[in-house]
Amino acid sequence: MISVAYEKWVGTPGDRAPHPVFRALRESRLDSFLADSQDDGVLIVDRDGSIIDCNRALTHRTGHSRHEVIGRTMVEIVVPSHQRRIRAALADSASGDGVRVRATGIKASGDTCELAITFVPLFDHNSHALGSLVITQNLSEAADVLRDRERQGALLALAGRVAGFVGFSLDRDSGDLVWSGALPAVPGALPSTLDQFMAALSTTDGARLARALEKSERESRLLDITLSVSTSAGERHLRLVGEPAIVPGSMRPALSGAAHDVTDAVVEQQQRREVEQLLSTTVNAMTDGLGIIDADWRFTFVNDRMVQMIGVDRDAVIGSTLWAVVPELGGTEFEIGFRSAVETASTVHVRDRIDARDAWLEAIAYPSGGGLAVHLRDITDSEVAALRYRHAQEQLATLGGLLDISRDAIVVRDPQHRIRYANAGALDLYGWQADSIIGSDSRDLLTIDPDLAEHAMATVLAEEHWSGRFEVRTGDGRDIVVSSRWQLMRDDRGEPEAVLSVSADVTDEVSREESLRRTERLESLGTFAGGIAHDLNNVLTPILMASQLLGSSLEGTPDRDVVAMIETAARRGADMVRQVLAFTRGVESRIESIELAALLDELQAMVRESLRPSIELVVESPSQPVTFSGDATQLLQVLANLVSNANDAIEGPGAVTIKSRLEIDDDASDNCVVIDVIDDGHGISPEVIARLWEPFFTTKPVGEGTGLGLPMAAAIMRSHGGSISAHSDGESGSCFTLRLPAAASAVVSTPTGEVPSSPMPRGHGELVLVVDDEQAIRSVVRQVLAAHGYEVFVASSGREARLLIDSGRVMPDLVLSDVTMPHGDGIELVEQLIDDESTVPIILMSGLEDRATVSQPVGRRARGFLVKPLSTPTLLHAVHDALTHHSRERAMS
């Protein structure tokens, strides 16, 4: 058993986390070394060599208690002359290498003992060394050198399994070479004699190994050498670390140690040298000067161009200060900038003329390790060109005071479009560089419609002036819209000499104009749609409620199906009106369970008659019933729009195919219902596909398309958590794919029946005042309420309702009022009842507004808000709930 406190592995109650070294020790299955039954003294140390635990054998052999040992460092338990080799061994172990050393230890009594110490590194999950398992063997005790050698092989084998190396033992008398195992990276058996090992080395490495062995034997010092070994798998690099040891009866000391395959490290080092060489070659090939200066202003590196610019031999530059090598920089902007870069640790850009060299220089100083990296350019040629440009500007300034126009882009070009002058506004607008445009063809500097450019030049030559707008891609890659005025300039003989153009960027103005036009169109459409929706909802309300009223009385008769068809049509009409409003206000979906096959059946019935006779409609439904959640009306709207577009895309005979499927993912939450609408029409070009979802974009002739169908379809799909995409090769047909989320239970074995509706609530003679300006609505609501146990009075406006209440002719138990009416609307009626402190419950209804559009006081006072067209169940439940709630309030007051 291991006599070790349990908290080493799981932590203490106050600090639950164990020391990482103990966790690594246990995961490596080396924790048994701490057992009290171990003969050898064992220590656990961290990366810095501090002792964090030991076994009983160590305390017994050294005379120190466990508490006296913990907290000390490894170097404190050996004599001073051997502390250096302990530090070296700790460093090797911290690097991940197992190592074995000899040292003289100090006991508690002050006596010394000869120790053989093995360091086994312990790693975390990222192969980082956390500390070491240290095994000490007392060579001064009865266990003599022979026993030490026997254990040494086992310890090295153990270290090899943990650290990735193998142990070896070399008998110098016989030349026998014994290995503790195999190296995975070296195929085949390792050499069994020194001569065989030498044969696998190059002549140079063989000589190096022979010298190292002699020196290690002669000076009794550690062997540490890296050799290149030829194997059947190619050249490998081995690092050998060994220590000489006297063996009784032997003439020469044996050598024991470890071997580690370091090929990857050697190759990486060679690659690093190659990269450094490549970097040096690249830096020296630069056309600009590069120099590295240390914190004492001394050059540590200069490339070939810098040497050439300075004009001093490289050997004289390296190690000398900047001010000694280039004294003419003293007191200039360069000295000020360089010192500022060092003091502020920030990049500084300096540009100045050095009179002593008759040159303009430009430098960028980058702070680097307390010094600077200096990038130096000779810009004399560009400065001369800039001077010439400024001189040309001065000459052109006499042409009509061009520079008096400040922000506009002023360009003078000859009839062949070659630029003769451009002001700062033109450089800024078009992204030009001043030193490269004079004499250049403006058509090469700007991406512009060539036909428009030629038309403008031809017009100005013929009529002496031209004005207009054109789209331009500037020299720095921006797309802008420019408003330009061109004027012909003639010489003294009256011949065309040049064209003066004054241009301004109107990109934002054009964008605002387009946005304003789009907004006005949407506002107009919204206003128009709202008005139609209000009137249609008032028309549909009596149809829907009357059909429901008739249906209840015709139950079980053949006419019941006719009434049900009327009710269904009214509901579908109401849903269509809601879709029109959704486009102007934003898409809101009414989520319900949808059976995919039923949806596609309804789609066929809806669109089949609208297709041309020469076009076949093919619908492929899944083999199993599939259900999902969504708004059936909205999805039918999307699919009908896609089928209509497919019908228009097919010029002759053809087919529109609708395929549907359920894609099931391993994660049930990612199940997806997919519907493809495929046509074999003329296809869609990539340019058109990129703009399909833009509002008002259409490829149809004027008057035949609004450009709202596909944007609305995309909005509906987004509101369902789905997506729509288009695919076409641009030549033969297209495919629109709808993807809708489906739950894990989307596949069902049998269709489920409808849940029977709850019984309609009835009244008990309560008086309801119905207020609406539509006579048909008043009439049908009266009949529905009266048929379900209520007494009903009606009024055609809020003003009439108020007169009935104030006169005492009607004392309503509940008021049901439309919101929008002439001669006093429902909002005013509610506000008057609030002022009168009336407690009569109120329900508002509207064919246009929703509850969010009314004021907070009115919204709080209303017991309900019904959206037209009304259904009989909705109306009856709303009235019943309002009266019930009001009765409870009165009972509690």
Side-chain angles (χ1 to χ4, degrees), residues 599-600 602-612 615-619 635-650 655-659 675-680 700 709-710 713 724 734 736 738:
L599 180 74
L600 297 180
E602 188 170 354
L603 175 66
Q604 289 187 74
M606 180 187 300
V607 303
R608 190 176 295 277
E609 295 301 325
S610 64
L611 293 175
R612 297 197 307 274
I615 297 178
E616 179 185 5
L617 178 62
V618 180
V619 178
L635 296 177
L636 283 172
Q637 176 185 345
V638 172
L639 291 169
N641 181 268
L642 295 179
V643 173
S644 175
N645 289 346
N647 179 69
D648 295 340
I650 301 174
V656 178
T657 304
I658 300 176
K659 296 182 179 180
I675 304 174
D676 294 324
V677 180
I678 307 168
D679 68 72
D680 51 8
K700 296 180 180 179
L710 289 179
I724 181 172
S734 60
F736 283 79
L738 309 182

Side-chain angles (χ1 to χ4, degrees), residues 465-506:
H465 61 83
W466 174 87
S467 62
R469 289 181 176 179
F470 50 88
E471 297 180 355
V472 174
R473 170 159 291 183
T474 65
D476 52 6
R478 292 176 293 115
D479 291 322
I480 61 175
V481 179
V482 172
S483 176
S484 187
R485 303 182 305 277
W486 290 21
Q487 181 65 45
L488 181 65
M489 300 173 63
R490 298 183 181 274
D491 58 17
D492 295 339
R493 297 176 297 176
E495 297 295 329
E497 181 182 23
V499 175
L500 166 68
S501 65
V502 180
S503 306
D505 185 353
V506 294

Side-chain angles (χ1 to χ4, degrees), residues 646-812:
N647 179 69
D648 295 340
I650 301 174
E651 297 179 354
V656 178
T657 304
I658 300 176
K659 296 182 179 180
S660 60
R661 62 188 181 277
L662 177 67
E663 291 186 354
I664 300 177
D665 193 85
D666 293 338
D667 182 357
S669 62
D670 291 334
N671 289 350
C672 187
V673 174
V674 182
I675 304 174
D676 294 324
V677 180
I678 307 168
D679 68 72
D680 51 8
H682 52 65
I684 309 174
S685 68
E687 295 78 12
V688 173
I689 285 181
R691 300 188 61 189
L692 281 179
W693 319 111
E694 296 180 12
F696 304 109
F697 172 77
T698 179
T699 58
K700 296 180 180 179
V702 176
E704 295 185 16
T706 64
L708 292 175
L710 289 179
M712 188 64 191
I716 290 173
M717 294 304 296
R718 287 194 298 270
S719 72
H720 281 72
S723 65
I724 181 172
S725 58
H727 312 277
S728 177
D729 61 6
E731 297 178 357
S732 56
S734 60
C735 175
F736 283 79
T737 300
L738 309 182
R739 305 184 71 86
L740 293 159
S745 60
V747 178
V748 294
S749 58
T750 58
T752 58
E754 295 184 359
V755 178
S757 59
S758 59
M760 298 293 182
R762 296 186 58 82
H764 302 284
E766 294 94 337
L767 178 59
V768 179
L769 177 58
V770 178
V771 187
D772 199 293
D773 59 326
E774 291 288 338
Q775 190 278 332
I777 294 177
R778 295 196 302 270
S779 176
V780 73
V781 171
R782 179 205 292 267
Q783 293 182 53
V784 170
L785 292 176
H788 289 82
Y790 297 98
E791 183 180 355
V792 183
F793 273 79
V794 297
S796 62
S797 67
R799 185 180 306 168
E800 181 181 349
R802 182 59 188 270
L803 291 174
L804 289 174
I805 295 173
D806 292 345
S807 66
R809 293 171 54 196
V810 176
M811 301 294 291

Side-chain angles (χ1 to χ4, degrees), residues 404-417:
D404 293 337
I405 304 175
S406 57
R407 295 186 178 181
D408 290 339
I410 303 173
V411 177
V412 176
R413 72 197 83 194
D414 63 19
Q416 288 73 42
H417 297 277

Side-chain angles (χ1 to χ4, degrees), residues 522-537 577 579-584 847-848:
L522 285 174
E523 289 178 351
S524 299
L525 180 60
T527 302
F528 179 66
I532 292 177
H534 178 268
D535 293 341
L536 283 177
N537 281 331
V577 171
Q579 295 308 310
V580 173
L581 289 175
F583 180 75
T584 59
L848 181 61

Side-chain angles (χ1 to χ4, degrees), residues 50-228:
S50 296
I51 301 171
I52 59 178
D53 207 350
C54 64
N55 69 348
R56 182 175 295 177
L58 185 126
T59 60
H60 174 73
R61 295 175 185 277
T62 62
H64 291 288
S65 68
R66 181 170 177 267
H67 293 292
E68 290 174 338
V69 174
I70 294 176
R72 301 180 68 182
T73 62
M74 280 292 298
V75 296
E76 296 180 47
I77 68 173
V78 300
V79 296
S81 60
H82 289 176
Q83 289 178 353
R84 182 175 181 182
R85 68 177 65 174
I86 296 298
R87 290 192 183 94
L90 285 168
D92 287 343
S93 182
S95 300
D97 296 329
V99 65
R100 179 179 172 87
V101 298
R102 284 191 180 184
T104 302
I106 305 174
K107 297 184 178 181
S109 62
D111 295 336
T112 61
C113 57
E114 294 300 317
L115 299 175
I117 306 174
T118 302
F119 291 81
V120 179
L122 299 172
F123 303 95
D124 61 12
H125 294 296
N126 296 320
S127 301
H128 296 151
L130 299 172
S132 302
L133 170 69
V134 182
I135 304 172
T136 64
Q137 296 171 291
N138 192 335
L139 303 181
S140 303
E141 296 180 349
D144 55 13
V145 175
L146 180 61
R147 175 183 158 190
D148 175 54
R149 289 192 63 192
E150 292 174 351
R151 289 184 174 179
Q152 175 177 308
L155 290 174
L156 285 175
L158 169 66
R161 291 198 306 272
V162 177
F165 60 84
V166 296
F168 72 87
S169 177
L170 173 62
D171 189 326
R172 296 287 281 141
D173 289 337
S174 64
D176 291 338
L177 187 58
V178 179
W179 303 88
S180 64
L183 284 172
V186 179
L190 294 171
S192 59
T193 65
L194 180 60
D195 291 340
Q196 291 177 357
F197 188 75
M198 286 287 193
L201 304 177
S202 65
T203 303
T204 302
D205 276 2
R208 288 178 55 237
L209 177 58
R211 289 195 299 271
L213 288 172
E214 292 297 331
K215 187 173 183 180
S216 174
E217 180 180 340
R218 183 176 63 254
E219 300 179 5
S220 297
R221 64 181 295 172
L222 191 71
L223 170 75
D224 190 345
I225 188 170
T226 299
L227 303 169
S228 177

